[in-house]
Each structure stands twice: as C-alpha cells, then as structure tokens.
Amino acid sequence: MQNARGISFCKLALFITIFTCFLVLAVWFIGRAMFPVTQTIIGALKINDSAMLYVVEADVNATTRPSYRYYLADKNISEADFLESIQESDDYFLLTSEKAHAEVKEGVLFLSTTGTVYKFTNTGSYPVRNNYFHVKVALSAAPE
C-alpha cells in the first residue's frame, strides 16, 4: 500500500514539474509575440579603419521609453546584416535611457550622456573574420 502511494506521489510531482515548465515557456513565447523589441539604427560613427559604432534604438512598445544600445561592428558588414546579427544579442557595451554624444579621439571612443546608464563596459570588442579587436571607451554620465 505504501509503495503505491510513493509511486503516485512521484507521478504527481513529475506532472507538476512538467506542467510548470510548459506554463513558463508558454508565457515567455506569448510575451515575446505580444511585445516584440523593435531595433532601429539611428546613428553610425567610423571608429577606425575596421570598426563602426552603431547606435541602436530599442523600443518595446508605445508605453515605455526607448533605450539606446551601443555596438561595435566590422565596417564591412551591411546594416541589414548587422541588425540581423543583434536580434537575440546582448553584446552591446553601453545601454542608456538617453542618446549619448559620441566622439573619437586618438583611437579612444568618448561617450557622454545624461539619464540612466543600465550597462557599461569600458572596452568594446568587435569581430573581423576570426579575430576580435578592442576599442577603449570612456564614459561621462550625469543624472537627469
């Protein structure tokens, strides 16, 4: 009798686990379908002979403010290929609530912004064929 209860409990626990996983995945897929992220290139700046800085506006829907993501990429790829490559990517080195001013001096990328900085990495990298190259990044941020 006790063995039968143990088996029933294991089956119930397995069912609940599988059902919960299915429910989480269903909510995730529905959320992505209802609120897709629209990414648009709003600016580009030549960094050096092989790199471009792309400023991408990421907008979820009309009720939230857009965020601005900064990417380094090989200057030889097209904008369409670049946008396709970043659709599921978190490879940006700066994420802000306001657009930053960008300037290149002596191989260093200087960015200044107001507002919230959600993510920052002071060395951006970009691939060219099988090699990765790095650019030093300096950020000046002030509150809104």
Side-chain angles (χ1 to χ4, degrees):
M1 189 83 162
Q2 184 143 2
N3 193 13
R5 284 186 185 169
I7 291 173
S8 296
F9 178 75
C10 288
K11 287 181 182 178
L12 179 64
L14 181 62
F15 173 76
I16 290 172
T17 303
I18 291 171
F19 181 75
T20 303
C21 291
F22 174 76
L23 189 62
V24 167
L25 283 173
V27 168
W28 182 73
F29 279 117
I30 290 170
R32 291 193 48 101
M34 290 178 62
F35 304 109
V37 176
T38 304
Q39 296 187 359
T40 308
I41 295 175
I42 60 169
L45 176 67
K46 181 180 175 184
I47 301 297
N48 55 35
D49 291 339
S50 64
M52 290 289 292
L53 168 71
Y54 287 105
V55 181
V56 176
E57 183 180 69
D59 196 5
V60 176
N61 58 33
T63 61
T64 61
R65 292 175 58 185
S67 63
Y68 299 92
R69 299 174 180 184
Y70 294 78
Y71 296 88
L72 290 174
D74 182 0
K75 74 170 189 162
N76 295 321
I77 65 171
S78 69
E79 287 187 359
D81 289 341
F82 169 74
L83 278 175
E84 184 179 325
S85 73
I86 65 167
Q87 288 305 314
E88 299 294 326
S89 173
D90 286 333
D91 288 342
Y92 48 87
F93 64 90
L94 176 63
L95 175 62
T96 64
S97 63
E98 299 293 331
K99 188 175 177 213
H101 172 73
E103 186 178 16
V104 179
K105 291 181 186 173
E106 299 177 12
V108 178
L109 176 60
F110 291 91
L111 297 164
S112 60
T113 186
T114 59
T116 305
V117 175
Y118 300 106
K119 175 184 174 181
F120 174 66
T121 304
N122 66 350
T123 303
S125 63
Y126 60 98
V128 176
R129 294 177 203 81
N130 294 330
N131 299 315
Y132 274 86
F133 295 92
H134 302 279
V135 174
K136 290 185 180 181
V137 181
L139 175 66
S140 172
E144 289 182 87

